[in-house]
Amino acid sequence: MSDHNPSFPNVSHSPLTVEYPVPPFPEQPQPAPGLASKMIPQPDHGENSYRGSGRLAGRKALITGGDSGIGRAVAIAYAREGADVAINYLPEEESDAAEVIALIRAAGRKAVAIPGDITAENFCSQLVHQAAEQLGGLDILVNNAGRQQYAESIRDLTTASFDATFKTNVYALFWITKAALEYLPRGASIINTTSVQAFKPSEILLDYAQTKACIVTFTKSLAQQLGKEGIRVNAVAPGPYWTPLQSSGGQPQEKVKEFGATAPLGRPGQPAEIAPLYVTLASAESSYTSGQVWCSDGGTGTL
Ligand code: NAD
Ligand code: MG
């Protein structure tokens, strides 16, 4: 591993420690869904550090929210591990998505871009069919897209906002997963992104935290259904990770400035630091792991 990351000039990658940015960070409001390209400092998605070793050779993956943040880091890692990758994102995120598509192709893998809004059931089934058709099959599904908009009080939380959060984080997961079952063979892996919010909800994330609890329960129940078919279902629970979700209305700017400060490691995680969990859960190496939630929270010990 090189000890210098050119896209992240102040960060050193040595074999034992990676020195990542610590708060305070500048205020940086963006309209939702936000772009990774506008973040200060730039997140590290593993562009210059992730090295594959064939752990997902020949696999075919669909990743929602694959344009930025955790989904982008997973897309890069999967491609470098030998998988062909389809990503979904919102049309306004095209510039972030184009960078990910180029990185997947640079890894020598097939890249498929399918923009569209997953709050519509019709689009969710089209997304899965297009991904499977263009990849020539599907054996990894990463349900990672998410909506997080804070509200100080239940009195400020509108029905429209509550509904959009549940449509994106809960209904879409159901619709996409159901459509994917037409394609997923024995040995396939489904990985859902939940959150530490499912277990330790913040007072300002009343709707979001509930959806993340739904995802934990969905994962555990579905793992029991699909075990008979040889399909594994797991979830990853991130703590504070440096992504556009937070600065585009996920947190007040005051909290963005101090993001990650209360974690024992004293900083937010970078997307590159959680992608390896998604690689391991997708890989056949984890063939007896299903119905689990794996957490990465910088030392808080949430799970
Ligand atoms: P992100 O903003 O980079 O990714 C979220 C993605 O969701 C967006 O890029 C967007 O493409 C997608 N999305 C949102 N609404 C959509 C819609 N209606 N249709 C299609 N796509 C839509 O942020 P991230 O933090 O990498 O988020 C990825 C997952 O991680 C989310 O499920 C989030 O809840 C979860 N998570 C993040 C944190 C964190 O601190 N960043 C912590 C816990 C859990
Ligand atoms: Mg995005």
Side-chain angles (χ1 to χ4, degrees):
M1 193 169 298
S2 85
D3 60 0
H4 183 69
N5 179 340
S7 79
F8 212 166
N10 299 321
V11 172
S12 70
H13 284 259
S14 80
L16 288 179
T17 59
V18 185
E19 299 303 327
Y20 278 121
V22 297
F25 301 115
E27 289 191 12
Q28 47 195 292
Q30 293 192 52
L35 291 176
S37 61
K38 294 198 170 152
M39 292 183 70
I40 312 160
Q42 279 286 287
D44 183 3
H45 309 92
E47 288 90 339
N48 298 298
S49 56
Y50 192 89
R51 286 191 183 181
S53 54
R55 294 172 73 192
L56 303 176
R59 302 285 298 270
K60 296 166 191 312
L62 168 61
I63 304 170
T64 64
D67 58 302
S68 58
I70 294 167
R72 180 193 290 215
V74 174
I76 292 168
Y78 279 11
R80 292 184 188 176
E81 294 290 358
D84 293 331
V85 181
I87 60 168
N88 162 250
Y89 49 92
L90 286 163
E92 55 267 45
E93 299 174 299
E94 191 60 50
S95 60
D96 270 1
E99 292 183 21
V100 179
I101 294 295
L103 285 158
I104 297 167
R105 290 188 180 142
R109 306 310 312 179
K110 187 165 193 179
V112 178
I114 311 176
D117 187 338
I118 60 169
T119 61
E121 182 172 6
N122 275 350
F123 174 72
C124 288
S125 59
Q126 276 172 36
L127 165 65
V128 171
H129 298 319
Q130 276 181 36
E133 203 167 287
Q134 293 189 49
L135 293 174
L138 189 66
D139 56 32
I140 303 172
L141 171 63
V142 180
N143 284 309
N144 168 74
R147 179 182 195 270
Q148 177 185 328
Q149 291 288 301
Y150 80 89
E152 297 286 353
S153 161
I154 188 171
R155 293 183 177 86
D156 308 328
L157 183 56
T158 64
T159 299
S161 187
F162 185 91
D163 191 54
T165 305
F166 270 80
K167 283 274 161 49
T168 312
N169 299 3
V170 178
Y171 280 73
L173 208 83
F174 166 62
W175 291 327
I176 291 168
T177 304
K178 201 167 164 177
L181 288 178
E182 194 178 313
Y183 301 98
L184 298 179
R186 269 190 96 72
S189 178
I190 300 171
I191 304 162
N192 303 318
T193 303
T194 176
S195 169
V196 294
Q197 289 292 323
F199 307 94
K200 284 193 179 168
S202 299
E203 67 175 300
I204 62 170
L205 296 175
L206 186 71
D207 55 339
Y208 175 84
Q210 290 179 72
T211 66
K212 293 295 165 176
C214 287
I215 294 170
V216 170
T217 307
F218 177 82
T219 299
K220 293 187 179 204
S221 181
L222 193 66
Q224 295 177 56
Q225 279 190 24
L226 298 185
K228 309 173 203 40
E229 299 175 34
I231 298 172
R232 298 180 298 109
V233 189
N234 292 287
V236 174
Y241 268 83
W242 189 243
T243 74
L245 189 79
Q246 305 297 346
S247 47
S248 63
Q251 302 284 345
Q253 290 299 313
E254 280 308 306
K255 292 205 172 167
V256 170
K257 286 201 286 190
E258 291 305 315
F259 199 61
T262 57
L265 287 172
R267 60 172 179 83
Q270 294 293 331
E273 299 180 277
I274 201 164
L277 295 186
Y278 291 80
V279 170
T280 301
L281 287 172
S283 160
E285 295 154 3
S286 312
S287 47
Y288 200 59
T289 301
S290 194
Q292 305 301 311
V293 181
W294 286 2
C295 183
S296 168
D297 66 2
T300 302
T302 309
L303 289 186

